[in-house]
Amino acid sequence: MPAVARNTVRVTLLAGVLVLGSGPVAWADFVPGGKGTGSETQVHGGQEDQKVSATAGVVVFDRSKNGSGGSAGPVTSASGTWTPPACYYAPKYTPDQLQKYLEPIWNAESTGSEWDLSQRNKYVNGGEYKDFNKAKAGKGYWWDSYVTEGREGDPGALKCNKAIFWVDKGDAPPADVPEAITPEMLAQLAYAEIRVPSTKVDLAPAGTTKVNLPTWAWLDTAKFKPVSVTASVPLLGVTATTTAEPLSLKIEPGTGDATTYPASGVCEIAGDRIGEAYAKGKAKETPPCGVKYLRSSGDGSYKLRATITWKIHWTGTGVPDERGLPDGTFGAEQDVIVQEIQSINR
C-alpha cells in the first residue's frame, strides 16, 4: 500500500480515537499492558492536593510546579521558528493490543487485499514477526507514532511514518528512528506545557499620565517565580524537567510618539525586582525602567505592552547538568491614558 494512502488511513483512524478520547472514557486502557487497544492518543488530567498531572499517549506531565490562574498562558519561543516536536515514537501496544488494533483494519478490507496480506505476513505469518510477537509478551512493546496534542494538522506530524516496530525492554530503538522519544524530546514537550503569569506592570503615575512626564514602571519578581513541568515515560523510566525563569521585561509604549527607559525598552532583572518603584522625591530623576509619552492619547488610550522574557532550561535522565532551550516570551497589554498638561498664562 502506498505511503500516502497508509498515512491517510492512520490519520483517519487517529481522528476517530481522538473523538472518542474527548469523552469520559477510561484512560488507563491506552497504555501498553492495559485492557484497551493501545491506539488512543488521549489526554487525561487529574488534580489531587493541588498536584496537577496529565497523560498524553505514554507521556505523563507533572504540572504541580507550573504557573496557574486565569491570566497564565504559554510562552512563545523567542527564536521565532523553534517548536517542540510535532510527533514522536514511543511504546504503544502489547502483542494482544496490536492484534486488536490491526485485525479490524484488515477485516474491513478498506486498505486493499495486497497490503493487508503483506501486513499479515509481517506481523503474523513470520515474515518479520510471528503471531504479533506474543512469545515476547511482557519482554517488550510495539512502538508506534504519537502526534503531539494540538499539532494534529501540522505537516511535521507526517514525519513519523515508519511502520510499527518492536523494541525489547532495555534496548534502544532502531538507529534509523530519529523521532524516538528521548529525555531531550520530553524536555521539549514539557516546554509546550509551561504556563507563566500575565505581565501587568506597576506604573507611576498609574492609569493616567501626562505628556513629557516620565512614567515609572516596575515589577515585583516575587510574582514571577520560576515555574517548571516534568514530562516522563514511566514505561521506559525516562524523565525530563523543563524550567522557566524570568529574565527581563520589555516595554512597548503602543505609539511611536514615546521614549522608553532604557532606550532599548528592555529592563533587566536586578535582585528581586525589575525596574524601580517610584517614591516621593524622585520626580526629577530618570526612571531605570519606564516610558515618556510625547503626545496625548486624545479621547482614547495607548496600549502599553509589557513582555517578560523567560530563560528556559532542562535536566533529565542521564543529563544532570542544565541544558538550554530557546528563551520564551509572554506578555499582555494595559491601557495608559496620556493627557496634555494644562497651563494658564497670567
Side-chain angles (χ1 to χ4, degrees), residues 23-44:
V25 296
W27 65 277
D29 286 352
F30 71 85
V31 298
K35 298 178 180 179
T37 66
S39 62
E40 294 89 343
T41 305
Q42 298 174 347
V43 176
H44 168 82

Side-chain angles (χ1 to χ4, degrees), residues 64-86:
S64 60
K65 297 180 181 179
N66 204 9
S68 60
S71 63
V75 293
T76 300
S77 169
S79 67
T81 58
W82 183 89
T83 57

Side-chain angles (χ1 to χ4, degrees), residues 2-90:
V4 173
R6 198 163 58 241
N7 287 335
T8 301
V9 171
R10 292 180 61 171
V11 170
T12 302
L13 289 169
L14 178 59
V17 297
L18 283 171
V19 171
L20 292 173
S22 65
V25 296
W27 65 277
D29 286 352
F30 71 85
V31 298
K35 298 178 180 179
T37 66
S39 62
E40 294 89 343
T41 305
Q42 298 174 347
V43 176
H44 168 82
Q47 181 169 350
E48 183 178 353
D49 298 329
Q50 301 303 312
K51 291 186 178 181
V52 181
S53 64
T55 303
V58 291
V59 178
V60 178
F61 295 102
D62 178 357
R63 298 171 176 156
S64 60
K65 297 180 181 179
N66 204 9
S68 60
S71 63
V75 293
T76 300
S77 169
S79 67
T81 58
W82 183 89
T83 57
C87 67
Y88 56 91
Y89 291 97

Side-chain angles (χ1 to χ4, degrees), residues 253-271:
T255 174
D257 294 318
T259 299
T260 55
Y261 305 104
S264 64
V266 177
C267 307
E268 302 294 339
I269 289 180

Side-chain angles (χ1 to χ4, degrees), residues 21-157:
S22 65
V25 296
W27 65 277
D29 286 352
F30 71 85
V31 298
K35 298 178 180 179
T37 66
S39 62
E40 294 89 343
T41 305
Q42 298 174 347
V43 176
H44 168 82
Q47 181 169 350
E48 183 178 353
D49 298 329
Q50 301 303 312
K51 291 186 178 181
V52 181
S53 64
T55 303
V58 291
V59 178
V60 178
F61 295 102
D62 178 357
R63 298 171 176 156
S64 60
K65 297 180 181 179
N66 204 9
S68 60
S71 63
V75 293
T76 300
S77 169
S79 67
T81 58
W82 183 89
T83 57
C87 67
Y88 56 91
Y89 291 97
K92 185 175 281 191
Y93 310 99
T94 64
D96 283 341
Q97 289 173 336
L98 183 63
Q99 180 179 9
K100 291 179 181 178
Y101 172 57
L102 288 180
E103 284 193 337
I105 299 175
W106 300 338
N107 293 337
E109 299 182 351
S110 60
T111 50
S113 58
E114 183 177 340
W115 184 75
D116 291 346
L117 179 59
S118 70
Q119 291 290 292
R120 288 185 184 276
N121 287 337
K122 177 178 181 179
Y123 294 107
V124 181
N125 299 330
E128 288 185 49
Y129 309 99
K130 185 177 179 180
D131 195 20
F132 299 98
N133 240 12
K134 289 181 182 179
K136 284 193 170 185
K139 300 179 181 179
Y141 300 109
W142 289 104
W143 286 45
D144 198 6
S145 62
Y146 291 87
V147 176
T148 304
E149 183 189 4
R151 304 287 294 280
E152 291 81 6
D154 193 315

Side-chain angles (χ1 to χ4, degrees), residues 204-242:
T208 301
T209 187
K210 306 294 183 182
V211 171
N212 291 322
L213 177 66
T215 299
W216 293 57
W218 69 94
L219 277 172
D220 177 1
T221 57
K223 299 177 182 177
F224 297 89
K225 296 179 180 179
V227 299
S228 66
V229 172
T230 297
S232 62
V233 180
L235 288 172
L236 301 178
V238 294
T239 184
T241 297
T242 299

